[in-house]
Amino acid sequence: MLRRVRLILLLFFIVFLSISCYDAHEVDDYAYVTTIGVDNGTADKWRFSFQITNMRSSGSKETFDGKETSEYLTITIDAPDFFHAANILDTSIARTINFRHTKYIVLSRDIAEKGEFNETLGPIIRFREIRRTTGVVVSTGTAQSFIEEFNPRIGISMARMQEGLMEQSKQTGFFPEIQLKDFYSGTKSSYRQSVAILAAVNDFSILQQNAEDDENKIELGERKAGELPRKGGNTVEFFGAAVFDGDKMVAEFNGYETRIMLALRGEFKQGVFTFHDPLKPELYVSINLKQQKKPKVKVEFDGDKPVIHVKLLMEGEILSVQSRIDYEEANKIGYLEGAAEDIIKQQAEALIDKAKELNVDFLNFGSYFVKSFLTIQEWEKYNWIERMKDVKATVDVEVKIRRTGTMIKSSPIKGTEEEE
Amino acid sequence: MDEGKIGNVEMICLLVNAIACKAFFTSVAAVVEKVGTAGWYMVLISDIVAIGVFSQMYALSKAYPGKNLLEIYDDIVGKKVGKVLSFISCIMLFVTVSITLREFTDATNVYLLHESPPGFIVGMFIIAMVTVCFLGIEGLGRVAKFLSFILLFNFLIVMVLSYRTFQGYKLFPILGYGLGNTVRHGIMRSSAFGEFILLGVFAKALNNTKDLGKIGYKSLIIGGLIISIVLFSVIISFPYYVTTELADPLYIMVSLIQYGRFFQRIEVVFIFTWNLSTLIGLTAIFYGSIICYCHVFNIKDKKPIIISFGISTYISTLIVPSISIILDYIVPIFRGYGWIGFYTPIFISWAIWLLFRRGKQTNVEKS
C-alpha cells in the first residue's frame, strides 16, 4: 500500500514539474517578424525595419467597420544595435518581438557597399531565434522602402508569397537562393566569397518610358532588379545578384550573369533561355535548359598559378520557335544546341573575366582547388581568395536538347495573301 | 538492493549511449578547433586507443572471471591501493556526469527552455536519473534497450535528411592541421571513450563475464562510429572556421533540414534523441560512480548514496558560474587529460598483474 502511495506521489510530483510553466507562452504573446531590414539611421547610427505579421487579420480581412486590415505592419526605429532596437519596440507593441519565422534579412545597398553587414545584422546569427536558412537580400533602394512594399498583391498570404519568391530561383536562375548560413560563412571563408540576392522595388516607370532604339535596347536578362519593364503585380522583384569581397559589396550582376554564375557553381536548376534563331536571326527561339549534372571540373597548377577547366552539361526542351523552322529534325537540332552552347560559353568566359577583374571568387572555384592541399596551414598560406586574378580558365559547354515539347514538327501557315 | 542481471544487448545500449551522448554538445566544435577537417577520423584514432586500453581491462577480466573491475583492482594491488584506484574511477565518472549535464543544461537553456532557470533543468534531470537508479541496473538496461533502437533510427533519419547541406569540399584539406597533430590529439582525447570502464564496473550484472570482450569491442566500435558520423556530417556541412564558432553544431545542422515549405523545423525529432540518449548515458555513468563509491567505502545499501550523489551532482553541475569557464578551461582539460584518470588504474593493475600475478596464476592453473 505504502509503495503505491509513494508511486502515486512520485507521478504527481513529476507531472507537476513537467508542465513547463516557466517557458509556456501563448502564440499571441509574440509579434512574429517576417523580414528585417537595415539602413543608415539619422536619429541614431542604424535604422532597423521590422515587418511584423498581423495575426488578427488572418482569415477575414475586414473589421466591423468595413475597413480592411493589413496582414502585416512595418515598424522602423533608429538605434545603435539590432537587439536594442527590438527590445525597445517591445514596449510599444505590447508583445515580444519574435524572430522564429523571419524569412529575409534585407541590407540596403549603402550598408552593403560600406561593408557594414558584420556590424549591423551579422551578429544576430548568434541569436537562437534566427534560423540560418533565412534569405539574404540586398535592396538597391532603402531596406525600409523595400520592406514596406514586400507584401503580396496577388491573393496569397504574405508568408506564402515570401517563401514562394525564393523558390523561383530554382525555376528561373535569375537570382541565387542565398541563405544566411551561406552568406555568413562566405564572408569568413578561405574557399570562396559571398553573394546575395539583388532586389528592388519596381515603380513601373520603365515601362512608360519611350521605347529605346534597337542599338540602345537592353535585353530583359541584362537588366537588374528594379529595372524590368513591367507593370502590375508585386512591386518588389528579385533579379540579379550582389557580389561581396569579404563583407563589402563590390558588384551587381544582371539576370544573365547570375544564371551563368549559378551554372558555373553547379547550382542552376532550370531556366528559359531565349536567343536569336540561328537560321533567322530577327526572330527568337526559347528553350528550357536544366543543369542535370554538376559541372565537370579539372584543376591543376601552372607553377603557382591556378588553372581550371570547366565543362557545363545542360539538357533542354524546345519551348517555342517563332520562325517555325523544323528544329525538331535530327539534322537541324544541332543548330539550336550549337547556338545555346556558344551563348553560354561566351557568357561564362565573360563572367570569369569579371571575377578575375574583381579578384573575387563568387564562382566557388576554391572548392575545387582546396582538394590539392593536404593541410589547412598550406591552404591558408596559399591564400586562395587573393588568387582569383591569376586563374587561367577554360570553359566547355555541352547542350543536349532531349525533348521538343508537345510538337514534333511545325506545319506552314497557309493564307490567301502569302504562303510559306 | 538487488543489482539484477542484464543482457549483452542491453549493456551495449547503455555503453553506446554513455559514450556517444557527448557528441551532441560542444565537443564537436572543440575537436574541429584542434584538428580542423580531420576531426571525423581523429575520433577513430581515439577509438582505437580506447580499444587498446579496453583490451588490457579485458585481459584482467579474463584473469579474474566472475569479478568486477573494482574487485580485480583489490585483488591485484591490495585492498588499500585498490580502493584508491576505484576512487579515481569514481571521481572520473562523477566529473563526466557533471560536465556533460552542464553542457546539456546550457544547450537546453539556449535552444529550448530559455526562461527556465538552469537549476530547474538540472534538478529535473537528476530526479529522472535518481528514479532510474532506484530501479537498479536491470531497470536501466531495459530502458536503454527499449529506447536505443528508436534513438538510433531517429539519429540516422536526421543524418540522412541533412544530406542536402553536405558539400564534399568542406572535408578538405583532408589532413586538417596535419597528420601528426591529428594523431596526437586522437591519443590525448581518447578519454572520450573512457566510459568503457563502466563495463568493468557493471561486469557482475552480466549473465556471463566471458561476454565482456564481445560487448566492449562492439560498444566501442558502435560508439566510435556514431561520434565519427556526427563529426563527419558536421564537418561536411559547415566550413571548419564556422564549426569552431558553434556551441552545438549538430543541433544547428539539423535545424537546416528543409524540404519544401512543409518539411522543415524537424529539429524536434533530434531533441528527442538528444534528451533521451543523454538521460540513458548519464544515468549509466552516474550509477557507475555510485557503485565505485560504495565499493570504496564498503557500503551495502546504495539508496541513501543515490540521493546524496544526486544532490552532489546538482551542486557540482551548477557550481561553475558560466559556460565560458566550462568551454575554456574545464572541458578542454578534462578531454585532453581525462585519459590519465580513466586509464591509470587499468594501466597500473594490468602492469602489476602482467609482471607479478600472471606467472603465479599460470602456475596455479598448471598444478
Side-chain angles (χ1 to χ4, degrees), chain A residues 17 22-23 25 100 128 131-133 160 163 181 184 188-191 367 374-377 380, chain B residues 110 113-117 120 124 169 172-173 175-177 240-241 245-246 255-256 258 261 265 267:
Chain A
L17 285 174
Y22 277 119
D23 284 274
H25 284 283
R100 283 210 180 91
R128 60 176 179 266
R131 295 183 77 81
R132 286 169 188 246
T133 49
R160 180 115 190 246
E163 284 191 345
K181 67 172 175 13
Y184 176 81
K188 299 187 169 187
S189 179
S190 56
Y191 304 111
S367 63
L374 282 177
T375 64
I376 293 172
Q377 292 92 323
E380 288 182 347
Chain B
V110 168
L113 306 172
H114 323 303
E115 289 167 35
S116 299
F120 178 77
M124 290 296 287
Y169 74 87
F172 294 91
L175 296 183
Y177 288 111
Y240 60 92
Y241 46 86
E245 293 180 352
L246 303 174
S255 73
L256 298 177
Q258 193 172 3
R261 278 203 293 268
R265 297 169 193 264
E267 54 268 30

Side-chain angles (χ1 to χ4, degrees), chain A residues 128-172:
Chain A
R128 60 176 179 266
E129 287 175 6
I130 300 288
R131 295 183 77 81
R132 286 169 188 246
T133 49
T134 308
V136 179
V137 170
V138 171
S139 162
T140 56
T142 62
Q144 183 190 349
S145 60
F146 179 85
I147 289 176
E148 280 166 355
E149 290 292 318
F150 197 24
N151 58 84
R153 300 288 158 95
I154 306 164
I156 53 172
S157 75
M158 190 172 67
R160 180 115 190 246
M161 173 253 184
Q162 292 190 349
E163 284 191 345
L165 203 50
M166 191 66 113
E167 288 292 307
Q168 291 312 307
S169 169
K170 295 186 186 98
Q171 299 300 320
T172 66

Side-chain angles (χ1 to χ4, degrees), chain B residues 12 18 31 38 56 60 63 75 88 134 186 193 209 216 218 222 249 260 292 303 309 323 325 330 346 362:
Chain B
I12 290 172
V31 167
Q56 294 176 339
L60 294 177
D75 275 11
I88 292 172
F134 268 107
F193 296 89
T209 50
K218 279 183 188 169
I222 296 169
C292 292
K303 279 183 185 173
F309 255 64
I323 185 76
I325 294 173
I330 297 173
I346 296 173
T362 317

Side-chain angles (χ1 to χ4, degrees), chain B residues 44 92 114 153 194 202 223 228-229 238 258 271 277 279 304 316 319 362 364:
Chain B
L44 298 177
M92 292 310 291
H114 323 303
F153 178 73
F202 296 146
S228 184
I229 289 170
F238 302 105
Q258 193 172 3
I271 288 168
S277 178
L279 179 62
S316 62
I319 204 163
T362 317
V364 170

Side-chain angles (χ1 to χ4, degrees), chain A residues 206-218:
Chain A
I206 291 173
L207 188 72
Q208 286 146 18
Q209 282 170 10
N210 293 333
E212 290 128 341
D213 53 54
D214 274 359
E215 274 182 24
N216 295 327
K217 196 185 265 179
I218 306 169

